[in-house]
Amino acid sequence: MTSRDIRQSFLDFFKSKDHTVVSSAPVIPHGDPTLLFTNAGMNQFKDVFLGIGTRDYKRATDTQKCIRVSGKHNDLEEVGVDTYHHTFFEMLGNWSFGDYYKNEAIEWAWELLTKVWQLDSNRLHATVYRTDDEAYNMWKKYLPESRIHRFDEKDNFWEMGETGPCGPCSEIHFDRTPDMSGGPLVNAGVPDVIEIWNLVFIQYNRKPNGELEPLASTHVDTGMGFERICAVIQNKSSNYDTDIFMPLINKIEELSRRTYNGGLDDKDSIAMRVIADHIRTLTFAIADGALPSNEGRGYVLRRILRRGARFARNLGFNEPMMYKLIPILIKNFGDIFPEIKNNYEVITKIVKAEEESFLQTLERGLLKFDELSINTHSISGADAFLLYDTFGFPLDLTQLIARERNLSVDTIEFEKYMTEQKNRSRLSRKNQSMESDLPDTDAHSYFVGYTTYQTQANILFIKDNLIVTDITPFYTESGGQVSDTGKLVVDGISYDVIDMKKKGNAIFHILDRDIDTKSKIAYLEIDINRRKRIMRNHSATHLLHEALNEVLGSHIKQAGSLVAPDYLRFDFNHFEKPSSEQLKTIEDIANSKIFNNVKVDIEEIELNVAQKNPKIKMFFGDKYGERVRVVTMDPKYSMELCGGTHVSDTAEIGMLKIISESSIAAGVRRIEAITGDNIVNYISSLNNDLTNKQIEVEQLNSKLKHIEGELSSIKINNLSDQLSTKISEIKSSGLKILIEKLNNLSIDDMRELADIVRNKVISNSIILLIGINSDKVHLVCAVTDDLKVKYPAGKLVSRAAEIVGGKGGGKPHLATAGGKDIENVDAIVSNFEKILQEF
Ligand code: SER
């Protein structure tokens, strides 16, 4: 059976048992902040298990795209070194939501494996949770007790992550040893006996405090490693030998001109397995909207890519190569997961650009690594940090290379450096008291500044220049929006509020100077004009984000933002510079929303209700409470979870103008924009700039003229020297005649030149200069004083000019003429002597 047939027969089998076939969820769990990547088929049903969501079916089956590179389930270290772990894999699954339970789950698993796929039942083993007699007894129907094993939590109690649905499980293992002696090898981590299917009996929710809370109903969640079952059915000892991976490996062989022998210790084979695995993760993750970056999920992808690129180098590649494997994935999986086909170009560009940017430092990093590893058994934390910070080596890459050379890495010291760096950048960002510097207080303040800009409040806490009140209209920096400033009046004395900070439930106003008072009351007022500018910029940021999605694609995600009074800054992941037309369209779209007076609706709803609405933007890594604020500007256009302050109608924004677009890191771009009255100031400053520029241009022009003048007199002087020398070298007993063709001299310069030469040679000479300027012929004739009566220059030149279809004249010693028949210029030269004879 091909892998394609195997996948289909799994789905068909459960369809025949009344299961609804559903699609794989994206590999990026957009609505679940507890997960970096989808790591199991059940993720998309978490809400059903917890009793907070429903589906219109009670049984489901699918193949789910999974990534296991972080958190509770992390297989990265094994990948490539062994033959059956992957960073990306498909998980075939069937589910019961409060419907069937252990009995049917086990019965159907057995039926599919032994009847439909006809695996040798003598090679199957089952494991159960140590106290799960129920499952144990069910297995006794199919297996001798020697092939039913009890294990503890580590192997037979399945949990999705630190929190979430969980329960005891029963796994099915396949014994590939020739003599079927694999019983003792179950769960021993060897490829001879591997787990192929995990049947989880979900009955608890693990709470953040570690407690297990029984669920209202019991559920079934099964997961079968697709690549493993294909290896078993196709009778291959390695997943990489199946038709899932071989096309990739063959392509790598072809590109590298090296051979895959499948060996566990063969360096080339390991490298090929790693690359074949990693390109799958990158392709599927990027197709679902993730991008390599320096944080969170994006950094995991960057690590994977760099790991792959490093192994490619071991295969002799010095150029990007991983992206060349993407077409093979599209060919083999594009119909099952159309998102990879639809995003082919984007994925390819991103992978290639990332490979390119890493290769630029890889070579130097490896040289540095060689240097650092001389005479030592260990790479210090400082050196690992240097490799990270300067050469882009993720820690796990350093560890990998170190392992290959039998070196250890001081990861604890490395983490210390990382923390220091984070603190440094935080300090440089804030340069003001950090939360930990604030005093402890039980004071509880409430922010009322969404609707109130000035108010009286009760003082709860005072120390030095810090003051906490029960309510405050001052916003504290959060979600990119900067803190409000303004004034605070106590006992009739006014203080400037220069910044805001939060610690616990207390909101601190930071004043320009210390305050000491017995008063219990303060009057607070924010700088309203400044706040209005902030609100315009914040609402404009939401509009800009939507417009970016519309024009550049749905992969655009906010990677950071600053909402300040004078401008807004929006960082986002994108692989290339947007064209100026694209930027213009982005601006136009945002402005059309502004000009159309869209009402801004703000509503508080339950987080889990918000999570179900795919239109609502929310950011991974942001912590949201149970209730969240949804800011809507036209429900069909922009909906976003946001705690910031906003205008009440988009018209208040006035207008949005993008003032710069740049790259701030590989794959991360930054737009800066302004709104409202800032645009007016911007235009005035452009006007001033323009006036200043005009003055500058005039000054430059006159300087230029001056320099040009100097240059041409230098040139004329040089030429006059050359020409008079030429005349003096003419060996003739009679007249000395010099005819000279010149380019790129103006008629005035030519006249000046001829006169200077005439004065230098003094006597017995006739000089004819012929200048060709684009489509005109200029003639200048100069005659020394002793000859000017017999050979008047004016007459000579006008005779010469006739030959080129022109006329001219002038004084007997110096005269000019012009003509247009450039092709006859040579005739002047050959006929000039004849002309002289006429006189
Ligand atoms: N959730 C279980 C697993 O991931 C079974 O699907 O192994």
Side-chain angles (χ1 to χ4, degrees):
M1 268 210 273
T2 64
S3 55
R4 191 172 279 276
D5 296 338
I6 294 169
R7 187 192 289 109
Q8 195 55 49
S9 64
F10 182 94
L11 299 175
D12 289 345
F13 177 80
F14 282 102
K15 202 167 154 189
S16 78
K17 307 283 183 201
D18 297 328
H19 287 59
T20 300
V21 181
V22 299
S23 311
S24 172
V27 82
I28 307 304
H30 290 288
D32 188 346
T34 71
L35 270 185
L36 220 46
F37 293 101
T38 300
N39 65 3
M42 52 74 72
N43 293 169
Q44 65 166 313
F45 304 116
K46 185 175 161 185
D47 58 323
V48 188
F49 293 135
L50 294 179
I52 51 182
T54 53
R55 300 288 186 277
D56 47 18
Y57 42 78
K58 282 190 156 339
R59 300 175 181 187
T61 182
D62 75 2
T63 182
Q64 171 65 49
K65 303 173 287 183
C66 297
I67 291 183
R68 289 193 173 176
V69 279
S70 58
K72 193 169 179 68
H73 302 279
N74 182 352
D75 296 335
L76 183 64
E77 296 308 317
E78 282 84 23
V79 171
V81 183
D82 75 14
T83 54
Y84 59 103
H85 280 95
H86 305 289
T87 57
F88 171 88
F89 61 94
E90 282 180 63
M91 189 185 280
L92 300 168
N94 58 288
W95 287 275
S96 151
F97 307 118
D99 189 32
Y100 64 83
Y101 204 43
K102 297 182 187 179
N103 202 9
E104 291 87 339
I106 291 175
E107 182 189 323
W108 291 335
W110 187 258
E111 185 184 336
L112 177 63
L113 293 174
T114 61
K115 306 269 162 23
V116 181
W117 288 341
Q118 300 193 342
L119 295 182
D120 181 352
S121 61
N122 294 320
R123 292 188 174 276
L124 295 175
H125 289 253
T127 66
V128 299
Y129 183 51
R130 59 183 158 75
T131 57
D132 192 351
D133 294 335
E134 209 184 345
Y136 190 94
N137 289 330
M138 284 169 192
W139 277 117
K140 281 207 300 197
K141 261 171 80 181
Y142 310 107
L143 292 169
E145 290 196 54
S146 59
R147 285 195 276 129
I148 311 173
H149 316 265
R150 290 180 191 262
F151 282 92
D152 61 15
E153 283 79 358
K154 182 176 151 289
D155 292 297
N156 279 81
F157 193 91
W158 196 86
E159 305 202 34
M160 168 184 155
E162 296 312 319
T163 60
C166 54
C169 62
S170 176
E171 294 175 350
I172 302 165
H173 294 246
F174 190 81
D175 180 0
R176 305 198 255 200
T177 57
D179 57 356
M180 293 191 238
S181 61
L185 298 177
V186 170
N187 276 337
V190 293
D192 284 346
V193 182
I194 56 164
E195 175 204 335
I196 50 174
W197 203 345
N198 186 11
L199 318 178
V200 185
F201 311 120
I202 302 254
Q203 45 179 289
Y204 303 108
N205 175 27
R206 175 79 69 187
K207 307 228 294 190
N209 63 7
E211 226 173 84
L212 281 179
E213 173 187 60
L215 295 171
S217 13
T218 55
H219 314 275
V220 170
D221 152 31
T222 89
M224 173 188 274
F226 174 61
E227 295 73 11
R228 290 187 185 179
I229 196 66
C230 288
V232 167
I233 294 177
Q234 294 179 357
N235 205 10
K236 307 283 187 197
S237 59
S238 157
N239 293 0
Y240 292 91
D241 292 341
T242 63
D243 59 348
I244 301 172
F245 288 97
M246 265 339 267
L248 290 167
I249 290 184
N250 289 337
K251 182 76 185 174
I252 304 172
E253 285 185 294
E254 178 198 316
L255 293 170
S256 65
R257 298 190 198 163
R258 297 198 189 181
T259 317
Y260 181 75
N261 69 17
L264 278 181
D265 297 322
D266 178 55
K267 286 212 163 63
D268 286 354
S269 298
I270 294 176
M272 291 188 198
R273 285 195 290 266
V274 169
I275 296 168
D277 172 273
H278 287 11
I279 190 60
R280 283 167 34 102
T281 303
L282 292 163
T283 302
F284 281 92
I286 296 170
D288 280 342
L291 284 170
S293 73
N294 272 339
E295 273 171 353
R297 172 188 298 145
Y299 192 57
V300 175
L301 292 185
R302 182 159 281 170
R303 277 164 45 205
I304 296 208
L305 182 130
R306 293 187 173 185
R307 207 166 173 266
R310 172 9 183 77
F311 276 101
R313 189 186 171 279
N314 286 1
L315 286 175
F317 291 100
N318 296 314
E319 299 284 320
M321 61 78 64
M322 289 167 75
Y323 77 96
K324 294 186 183 163
L325 304 173
I326 299 171
I328 296 177
L329 288 175
I330 309 283
K331 180 163 163 249
N332 294 333
F333 299 92
D335 58 335
I336 298 148
F337 303 107
E339 59 278 11
I340 61 171
K341 194 163 60 190
N342 298 340
N343 292 294
Y344 167 65
E345 276 180 29
V346 173
I347 303 168
T348 306
K349 278 187 184 169
I350 293 171
V351 171
K352 185 166 177 230
E354 273 286 311
E355 286 189 87
E356 264 162 4
S357 93
F358 182 50
L359 288 177
Q360 279 165 10
T361 55
L362 176 62
E363 203 64 38
R364 286 195 300 129
L366 289 171
L367 284 176
K368 190 77 201 169
F369 199 106
D370 291 342
E371 198 181 294
L372 297 174
S373 47
I374 297 171
N375 291 333
T376 178
H377 297 296
S378 158
I379 299 287
S380 71
D383 290 343
F385 184 75
L386 174 83
L387 287 167
Y388 162 82
D389 204 32
T390 313
F391 301 97
F393 279 33
L395 179 64
D396 49 23
L397 180 59
T398 298
Q399 287 176 301
L400 179 96
I401 304 172
R403 246 196 323 275
E404 287 171 358
R405 304 178 184 197
N406 279 328
L407 300 169
S408 61
V409 180
D410 188 342
T411 53
I412 297 179
E413 198 195 30
F414 173 86
E415 292 304 338
K416 247 177 51 204
Y417 278 92
M418 283 296 280
T419 314
E420 274 172 27
Q421 189 198 43
K422 276 189 196 134
N423 286 343
R424 266 199 309 277
S425 60
R426 202 168 48 217
L427 271 180
S428 67
R429 265 204 313 275
K430 300 244 165 84
N431 193 23
Q432 283 190 25
S433 55
M434 294 177 14
E435 185 183 309
S436 53
D437 297 338
L438 293 170
D440 289 320
T441 160
D442 294 336
H444 198 141
S445 343
Y446 294 90
F447 173 65
V448 295
Y450 288 128
T451 46
T452 306
Y453 301 153
Q454 63 218 42
T455 182
Q456 188 166 298
N458 295 309
I459 299 175
L460 303 179
F461 177 90
I462 289 189
K463 184 172 190 262
D464 304 332
N465 66 335
L466 302 172
I467 177 165
V468 179
T469 50
D470 58 347
I471 55 172
T472 179
F474 285 82
Y475 185 84
T476 309
E477 178 185 339
S478 161
Q481 178 177 332
V482 301
S483 294
D484 282 324
T485 59
K487 69 176 181 184
L488 179 146
V489 183
V490 178
D491 300 328
I493 303 170
S494 175
Y495 300 82
D496 286 342
V497 177
I498 55 171
D499 199 5
M500 299 294 298
K501 285 277 172 308
K502 238 184 226 170
K503 184 176 186 182
N505 291 320
I507 303 177
F508 291 80
H509 303 80
I510 302 178
L511 307 181
D512 59 337
R513 58 192 193 275
D514 290 358
I515 173 169
D516 188 19
T517 176
K518 296 258 167 324
S519 171
K520 292 271 168 264
I521 305 273
Y523 169 79
L524 308 173
E525 183 178 331
I526 63 170
D527 179 340
I528 294 166
N529 285 331
R530 183 174 177 276
R531 163 68 91 75
K532 281 189 175 159
R533 295 192 178 109
I534 294 174
M535 298 202 295
R536 286 184 201 119
N537 283 340
H538 204 152
S539 302
T541 303
H542 288 208
L543 295 177
L544 178 66
H545 192 175
E546 281 299 335
L548 281 163
N549 275 147
E550 212 175 310
V551 177
L552 301 182
S554 57
H555 64 282
I556 300 285
K557 298 263 151 38
Q558 177 170 333
S561 81
L562 174 74
V563 179
D566 45 350
Y567 77 117
L568 68 93
R569 196 171 78 196
F570 189 83
D571 298 342
F572 58 100
N573 301 89
H574 191 51
F575 50 87
E576 66 185 5
K577 188 172 179 59
S579 67
S580 43
E581 293 80 51
Q582 284 175 322
L583 288 175
K584 173 83 173 64
T585 315
I586 289 162
E587 213 173 69
D588 287 349
I589 293 175
N591 278 323
S592 79
K593 292 289 161 188
I594 294 172
F595 301 151
N596 277 322
N597 303 24
V598 180
K599 202 166 139 325
V600 180
D601 276 317
I602 298 180
E603 197 191 4
E604 267 207 10
I605 60 171
E606 298 289 326
L607 175 62
N608 59 56
V609 177
Q611 281 169 341
K612 283 203 208 92
N613 185 342
K615 184 73 197 99
I616 301 181
K617 286 191 156 58
M618 49 185 90
F619 304 112
F620 181 80
D622 278 4
K623 286 202 189 69
Y624 298 113
E626 294 284 297
R627 289 184 70 75
V628 290
R629 265 177 115 231
V630 183
V631 177
T632 305
M633 298 174 211
D634 175 359
K636 286 205 258 0
Y637 190 67
S638 161
M639 293 180 90
E640 195 167 322
L641 288 199
C642 177
T645 62
H646 288 271
V647 298
S648 48
D649 190 300
T650 55
E652 290 170 43
I653 300 170
M655 179 182 171
L656 173 125
K657 173 84 199 126
I658 295 175
I659 51 169
S660 81
E661 195 287 329
S662 59
S663 159
I664 54 165
V668 187
R669 308 208 60 91
R670 168 170 293 175
I671 280 184
E672 292 179 336
I674 52 177
T675 62
D677 58 348
N678 284 314
I679 296 186
V680 180
N681 298 339
Y682 178 71
I683 292 173
S684 317
S685 75
L686 281 185
N687 259 340
N688 284 344
D689 278 358
L690 203 62
T691 316
N692 290 340
K693 284 268 144 57
Q694 273 164 350
I695 296 173
E696 252 174 56
V697 167
E698 276 163 25
Q699 286 169 345
L700 283 176
N701 261 339
S702 69
K703 252 196 204 152
L704 194 65
K705 280 218 180 85
H706 182 72
I707 293 172
E708 273 174 359
E710 282 188 352
L711 256 182
S712 83
S713 63
I714 293 173
K715 200 163 149 191
I716 288 167
N717 270 332
N718 283 342
L719 275 172
S720 69
D721 284 347
Q722 286 170 25
L723 297 186
S724 41
T725 312
K726 266 194 186 169
I727 291 178
S728 67
E729 284 167 357
I730 296 175
K731 303 234 166 4
S732 151
S733 46
L735 293 177
K736 292 191 178 181
I737 300 158
L738 175 74
I739 305 175
E740 193 73 21
K741 281 198 231 164
L742 300 164
N743 285 328
N744 300 325
L745 276 190
S746 69
I747 183 85
D748 291 340
D749 288 345
M750 284 168 62
R751 189 195 293 112
E752 191 184 340
L753 175 62
D755 200 28
I756 297 174
V757 177
R758 193 186 81 92
N759 287 323
K760 277 193 180 158
V761 297
I762 306 173
S763 65
N764 199 32
S765 307
I766 296 175
I767 302 140
L768 180 68
L769 301 183
I770 307 174
I772 300 168
N773 281 329
S774 56
D775 54 350
K776 272 214 185 83
V777 184
H778 294 310
L779 300 174
V780 176
C781 186
V783 180
T784 49
D785 287 341
D786 53 335
L787 298 178
K788 69 183 182 196
V789 177
K790 181 158 186 212
Y791 301 104
K795 294 221 167 98
L796 291 182
V797 86
S798 88
R799 282 289 290 117
E802 284 166 18
I803 302 177
V804 286
K807 15 182 218 259
K811 305 247 168 67
H813 73 287
L814 186 64
T816 58
K820 52 188 188 325
D821 304 337
I822 295 180
E823 63 281 5
N824 292 342
V825 160
D826 288 336
I828 300 181
V829 180
S830 50
N831 286 313
F832 196 61
E833 297 251 4
K834 255 192 229 147
I835 293 174
L836 289 178
Q837 281 159 21
E838 293 169 11
F839 289 82

